[in-house]
Amino acid sequence: MIDDIFEEFEKFLKLRKGFLHDYIEDFLPLGKRILQRSFPIDVSEKEREVIIRANLPGFRKDEIEVFVEPDKVEIIARKKKENVVGEERFLLSERVSNYARRVVPLPVKVKPETARARLSEGILEIRIEKVEVERRGRKVEIE
């Protein structure tokens, strides 16, 4: 439902490009949050690692930041708006700057220092080793 609201808002902004969009993006305190979009992810696990895959088509690796904590991963992707390319000056630009952010709570504790990330064909893959939990049980005598 919330995605539908954002989609309708973006349609409205496309109709009212220019001043209104720039005002919302640049001056309203929550403007960037209103305009930002999330992105789909998958979280899976193997015996010793957690794997996150995020769809980030159109972003280069230098436009993506990944922050790993023991219980969560934050992914931020930023693409700058291009107003001038070489001698070319844009008269109309409908490709707005993109900003996407997602905080992913992890199902288990991980070791942030072991995190590895790779971007291939628009899919960011992050692999992080799990914290090993010693699972030694013991029999409890009933009194």
Side-chain angles (χ1 to χ4, degrees):
M1 166 136 169
I2 197 85
D3 282 338
D4 293 339
I5 293 168
F6 283 113
E7 286 175 19
E8 290 302 314
F9 189 69
E10 283 182 348
K11 286 179 190 175
F12 169 74
L13 289 177
K14 285 180 182 176
L15 293 173
R16 297 304 209 169
K17 219 45 158 167
F19 172 75
L20 180 60
H21 183 274
D22 292 341
Y23 176 79
I24 290 171
E25 187 175 27
D26 297 336
F27 297 108
L28 290 179
L30 297 177
K32 288 202 186 295
R33 284 190 195 163
I34 290 170
L35 296 174
Q36 83 183 23
R37 297 289 297 178
S38 187
F39 43 86
I41 62 164
D42 291 332
V43 179
S44 60
E45 67 178 329
K46 289 188 173 182
E47 185 178 338
R48 297 197 165 145
E49 69 182 347
V50 173
I51 304 163
I52 300 170
R53 291 182 184 91
N55 287 2
L56 293 167
F59 287 97
R60 298 185 317 261
K61 69 179 187 176
D62 62 324
E63 297 171 325
I64 302 170
E65 294 178 300
V66 177
F67 301 95
V68 179
E69 294 182 29
D71 60 345
K72 65 183 173 184
V73 173
E74 180 178 15
I75 304 168
I76 301 171
R78 291 183 185 94
K79 184 175 282 296
K80 301 291 184 203
K81 186 175 2 180
E82 301 169 354
N83 288 328
V84 178
V85 176
E87 295 178 12
E88 180 181 354
R89 184 175 60 89
F90 285 81
L91 302 175
L92 172 66
S93 178
E94 294 185 348
R95 298 180 304 143
V96 297
S97 59
N98 290 330
Y99 174 82
R101 177 179 175 267
R102 182 101 186 236
V103 176
V104 183
L106 298 174
V108 296
K109 297 285 185 198
V110 297
K111 302 176 191 175
E113 66 277 4
T114 66
R116 301 176 320 276
R118 184 174 70 105
L119 182 67
S120 177
E121 297 184 16
I123 298 175
L124 175 68
E125 181 179 88
I126 304 165
R127 292 177 174 263
I128 318 158
E129 288 181 22
K130 294 179 182 179
V131 170
E132 293 192 31
V133 177
E134 191 173 305
R135 294 186 179 184
R136 290 189 318 190
R138 70 177 186 93
K139 182 178 179 183
V140 177
E141 294 296 326
I142 302 172
E143 296 180 14

